[in-house]
Amino acid sequence: MNDRSERAHWTGRLGFVLAAAGSAIGLGNIWKFPYITGKNGGGAFVLVYLACITLVGLPIMMAEFLIGRQGQRDAVGSFEALEGKGSLWLLVGWGGVAASFVLLSFYAVVAGWSFDYILKSATGGLSGKTAEEINALFGELVAAPGRIVFWQFLFLAATAGIVIGGIRGGIERWSKILMPALFLLLILLFVGGMLSPGARAGLEFMFRPDFSRLTPPALLDALGHAFFTLSLGAGTMITYGSYLEPDSDLLALSVRITLLDTLVALLAGLAIFPVVFAAGLEPGSGPGLVFQTIPIVFAGLPFGSFLALIVFILLAFAALSSSISMLEVSVAYLIDEKGWRRSRATVLIGSLAFALGIPSALSFNRWSELKPLFGRTFFDLFDLLVSSYMLPLGGMFVAIYAGWFWKGGEAKNEAAALSPRPWIFPVWRFLLRFIAPAAVLFILLNQAGVWR
Ligand code: PHE
C-alpha cells in the first residue's frame, strides 16, 4: 500500500492544480468572503486578507503538500512515515482528519441550500417576488427540517459518488469539469457586475482602503479566513499532496492554487457588491448575503431568474469540489492505514458525516433554541470549533513541524525538495518558523479575550 509505484497519482500538473484549487475554492469564496468583507468594511480588510494569504497561507500550503508528498500516505500516515510510529506529530494528522470530518458534516447543510435555490430559480420560484417574499423564502426553507435534511443527504450522496471514483477517475476528472465551468460562470457574473450602475461603488468598496475600519475582530476574520479558504489545517492538502509525484515544484503549484483561490474570491466580490450598491442594499447584511440578497438583486434585472440560477449552480459546484476533498481525508486514512476498499470507506464516512450533520440542520428549526454550550446552536458550535480553533491550530502545528522539525526525510537536499529555486527555502522557513505561529497565537489569544 505504501509502495510509490502502486499508489494512485494525479495524471499531471493541471489535474492536481484543478483538484487542489477545487478544494480551496468553495463556499468560503463565494458565500463567506463577500459577507465578511461587507461586515468588515471592504478595502482595508481585503488588504489584510491578501497579506495573510501570502505570508501565512501560502507557506503553510507548501508545507502541507511537502508532508504529504514525502510521506506518500494519508494525513496521519504521512506523519508516521516521516517521524515513526508513536510520534506526537501524528496528533496533527489526527486533528486534520477530525477537522475535515466535522467540517463536512455542517458544510453539507449550507451546500444543500444551494440545491434548493437551484430548484427554486429553475422553476421560476424566485421571479415576480418582492424583497420581503424572497427573504421569507429563505426563512421557510431553513424552517423545514425534512427539506434541508433531504438536500444535505443529496449533497453528501453526490460527494460520495465522486470520491468512490478515486483520484483520477473521480476527483480529478470532476475537478476538470467543475472548475472551468465555475470560472466561466464567474466571469459572466463579473461582467454583469461591472456593467451594473453600482460598478464604481463596488470597486471603491473593495479596493479603497479605509483603515479606520480595521478593528481587531476584522484582523482575526482576515487571518482565520485565510486558513479556511485555502483548506489548511484540515489534512486536506496533506492528503492531496500525497498523490503528487516526487519531482513536483511545490512553490509553483501552491502559487497557482493560491492565485486561483484569491481570484475567485475577488471576482465573487466584484460580481456581488456592484449589484448590492446599485440596488441600495446593505453590504454588511451578514451570512444571508448570497441566499437572500442575490435573488432580490436579480429579481429586478432582465434574465434575473437565469442569473440567479447561474449563481446557485456555481455555489453548488464550488461546494462540491471542496466537500470531496474533506471526505477524501478520512477515506484515504481508512484505505492507507486500515487497508479498506475505497467504496466501503466512502459509504461509511459519508453516512457518519450525514448523521453528525443532522443536529446542525436542526439548529435552524426544531433545535434552534437548543444551545448546548456558550449560548450557541450545534451549527454555530461546530463552525466555531472547526473554523476558529481546529484549522488555525492545525495549520500552526504544520508550520512549526515543517519550519523547525522537518529534517528532509528521504530528500537529501531539503531546499531542492521544495522547489528548483533554492532562494525560496530560507524565506519559506522564516515565514513558517516565526510569522505563521505568531499570527495564529495572536488570533487565538485574541479570541480568548486575553487583552480585551
Ligand atoms: N476551502 C474551502 C472553502 O473555501 C473549505 C475547506 C476548508 C475545504 C478546509 C477543505 C478543508 O469553502
Side-chain angles (χ1 to χ4, degrees):
M1 200 56 67
N2 304 329
D3 179 354
R4 240 176 212 177
S5 55
E6 270 179 33
R7 190 181 172 78
H9 287 95
W10 308 100
T11 56
R13 211 166 51 188
L14 179 70
F16 172 73
V17 169
L18 290 180
S23 167
I25 298 167
L27 294 175
N29 304 59
I30 299 169
W31 165 73
K32 205 169 182 187
F33 174 73
Y35 105 68
I36 59 178
T37 302
K39 180 179 111 193
N40 290 308
F45 171 82
V46 173
L47 274 184
V48 178
Y49 163 78
L50 292 176
C52 292
I53 291 280
T54 327
L55 299 178
V56 180
L58 180 63
I60 294 184
M61 182 185 287
M62 292 166 65
E64 292 206 4
F65 287 156
L66 180 74
I67 293 168
R69 191 195 58 187
Q70 302 304 109
Q72 288 289 303
R73 277 158 74 181
D74 59 289
V76 178
S78 285
F79 277 106
E80 190 179 282
L82 293 172
E83 295 300 314
K85 257 196 178 16
S87 155
L88 280 180
W89 291 112
L90 266 65
L91 290 175
V92 181
W94 274 111
V97 173
S100 54
F101 175 71
V102 178
L103 177 57
L104 177 63
S105 77
F106 67 83
Y107 202 84
V109 175
V110 179
W113 301 342
S114 63
F115 280 11
D116 194 86
Y117 274 77
I118 290 176
L119 186 70
K120 279 190 173 66
S121 31
T123 54
L126 298 174
S127 55
K129 295 244 179 336
T130 65
E132 282 83 59
E133 285 169 334
I134 288 175
N135 268 327
L137 278 181
F138 181 73
E140 276 163 31
L141 167 65
V142 296
R147 192 168 175 124
I148 60 174
V149 168
F150 169 74
W151 291 122
Q152 173 204 357
F153 176 80
L154 212 66
F155 180 80
L156 277 170
T159 304
I162 297 178
V163 170
I164 284 184
I167 295 307
R168 292 187 176 189
I171 297 177
E172 187 177 317
R173 198 178 71 187
W174 277 93
S175 303
K176 279 183 169 162
I177 301 170
L178 295 178
M179 283 296 105
L182 183 111
F183 276 109
L184 220 74
L185 294 180
L186 253 185
I187 289 178
L188 216 69
L189 277 176
F190 163 73
V191 172
M194 288 300 102
L195 292 177
S196 106
R200 202 194 163 87
L203 279 168
E204 279 186 5
F205 181 73
M206 275 190 62
F207 295 121
R208 176 171 296 169
D210 169 3
F211 289 100
S212 69
R213 303 285 308 256
L214 216 51
T215 56
L219 294 177
L220 302 187
D221 273 357
L223 188 61
H225 189 59
F227 285 97
F228 188 90
T229 192
L230 294 177
S231 307
L232 300 176
T236 317
M237 295 310 193
I238 298 183
T239 307
Y240 273 22
S242 75
Y243 306 118
L244 277 172
E245 300 287 353
D247 58 349
S248 34
D249 177 348
L250 299 182
L251 173 72
L253 293 172
S254 307
V255 166
R256 284 196 186 98
I257 293 157
T258 304
L259 279 179
L260 286 176
D261 183 77
T262 308
L263 187 71
V264 168
L266 295 179
L267 281 177
L270 289 175
I272 289 173
F273 287 119
V275 209
V276 167
F277 286 111
L281 298 166
E282 174 48 47
S285 63
L289 196 65
V290 168
F291 291 107
Q292 292 176 296
T293 317
I294 290 294
I296 297 177
V297 163
F298 289 137
L301 297 180
F303 310 110
S305 310
F306 178 67
L307 289 177
L309 177 65
I310 293 187
V311 178
F312 293 115
I313 291 180
L314 188 150
L315 201 61
F317 277 6
L320 202 55
S321 60
S322 297
S323 62
I324 55 183
S325 74
M326 297 169 201
L327 182 54
E328 179 66 18
V329 177
S330 306
V331 167
Y333 169 76
L334 289 176
I335 296 176
D336 288 350
E337 305 309 311
K338 306 284 169 214
W340 283 37
R341 265 186 304 127
R342 177 168 279 276
S343 51
R344 180 163 166 233
T346 308
V347 171
L348 177 81
I349 302 292
S351 311
L352 289 177
F354 173 65
L356 184 69
I358 289 178
S360 292
L362 296 184
S363 297
F364 296 92
N365 35 70
R366 294 241 169 94
W367 290 1
S368 60
E369 291 312 310
L370 190 62
K371 300 188 171 146
L373 269 177
F374 313 123
R376 289 172 196 258
T377 61
F378 278 106
F379 181 92
D380 290 339
L381 271 180
F382 285 144
D383 183 26
L384 178 79
L385 179 72
V386 173
S387 312
S388 306
Y389 293 97
M390 297 181 86
L391 300 186
L393 274 175
M396 181 182 85
F397 283 116
V398 164
I400 294 176
Y401 172 72
W404 294 95
F405 295 91
W406 181 61
K407 297 291 185 321
E410 284 171 33
K412 295 219 178 53
N413 181 343
E414 293 163 293
L418 202 65
S419 165
R421 279 160 277 239
W423 60 269
I424 277 306
F425 186 71
V427 180
W428 174 75
R429 206 167 55 181
F430 174 78
L431 293 172
L432 287 184
R433 284 190 163 178
F434 303 106
I435 306 298
V440 174
L441 280 182
F442 175 77
I443 306 191
L444 293 182
L445 292 177
N446 234 320
Q447 216 129 36
V450 169
W451 46 85
R452 231 173 285 149

